[in-house]
Amino acid sequence: MKKTLLLCAMTEEIEIIKKSLNFELDSDYSDLPWPVYKEPELCIYAAVTGIGKVNAAACSSVLIKLIKPEQVIGIGVAGAVAPELKIGDVVISNSAVQYDMNATAFGYRLGEVPRMNTLEFKADSILYTAASKVAESMDLEAKVYVGQIMSGDCFVSGNMGAEIYQNFGGLCVDMESAAWAQVAHIFELPWVILRSMSDQADGTASVDFNEFLPRAVKNLSHLVEELLKSV
Ligand code: ADE
């Protein structure tokens, strides 16, 4: 079994998986500001990083140094921006980008982190192919897409989703994936992120988010469980 670090931003996102996979709070890490859980049989460590890119980066960096995982898997909900995506559908990342990184004044492309020699951070192709195969074999109610996740420190609503989609052409928006991806990239770890759509990042996004969060989390939980058992 590969030692895996499973990350999510909110407790709601880990609750269902925690129950079905026998996670227990790991007392070795009780001095950290984030709850860390362990599933000993599958060698999975799971943490709730908090919302936004700074929380996501701080927690994932510390845990990668302490736990030394061999791979990183992020999970959670996201806002759908690609027109084909509906609430409840699942996105498996093949890359992640920070849509709110802007050093264009220095000639960098919108979204490009200066001096990192890449616009987007690429997910591990073995992991996202495995996730997509697991999804295919499961006959899920949700449709599953593989593509780019776009992250920024903003809950995207109104017209903003359309603008981000126009600039980057990715599938969905969230507030952590590109930070987890960048940290995994810095530590040279393979990573993939799976997100279920809780809203369509539009005028009703905040209402839909609250209403569909539990369903979106549930849609994802079986897929994540099966993926964790298979990798
Ligand atoms: N996570 C879920 N929905 C989102 C949205 N609309 N914007 C940013 N992050 C999200």
Side-chain angles (χ1 to χ4, degrees), residues 77-79 154-156 173-175 198-199 201 205 209:
V77 296
C154 189
F155 183 84
V156 178
V173 287
D174 69 20
M175 300 174 72
S198 57
D199 57 83
F209 176 85

Side-chain angles (χ1 to χ4, degrees), residues 11-71:
T11 46
E12 294 93 321
E13 292 167 326
I14 203 147
E15 225 37 63
I16 293 178
I17 292 165
K18 216 174 78 193
K19 273 184 209 146
S20 56
L21 276 187
N22 244 353
F23 276 104
E24 282 172 15
L25 211 52
D26 190 335
S27 56
D28 288 353
Y29 302 102
S30 56
D31 57 337
L32 296 179
W34 312 278
V36 179
Y37 304 90
K38 187 178 179 190
E39 208 287 350
E41 259 172 53
L42 296 172
C43 204
I44 304 163
Y45 291 79
V48 180
T49 69
I51 296 168
K53 290 186 294 172
V54 174
N55 280 329
C59 177
S60 54
S61 302
V62 169
L63 293 186
I64 286 171
K65 273 310 271 183
L66 291 176
I67 293 171
K68 301 185 174 57
E70 294 163 270
Q71 57 191 7

Side-chain angles (χ1 to χ4, degrees), residues 10 13 51 76-81 99 150-157 164 172-176 195-202 205-206 209 213:
M10 303 185 296
E13 292 167 326
I51 296 168
V77 296
V81 294
Y99 68 75
M150 304 166 292
S151 308
D153 285 313
C154 189
F155 183 84
V156 178
S157 61
I164 296 168
C172 63
V173 287
D174 69 20
M175 300 174 72
E176 300 81 21
R195 294 270 184 186
S196 177
M197 302 305 109
S198 57
D199 57 83
Q200 294 191 293
D202 56 10
S206 56
F209 176 85
L213 177 67

Side-chain angles (χ1 to χ4, degrees), residues 29 36 38 50 60 71 75 84 98 126 141 177-178 203 213 225:
Y29 302 102
V36 179
K38 187 178 179 190
S60 54
Q71 57 191 7
I75 59 166
E84 65 270 28
Q98 289 187 46
I126 295 174
E141 255 177 54
S177 290
L213 177 67
E225 257 176 69

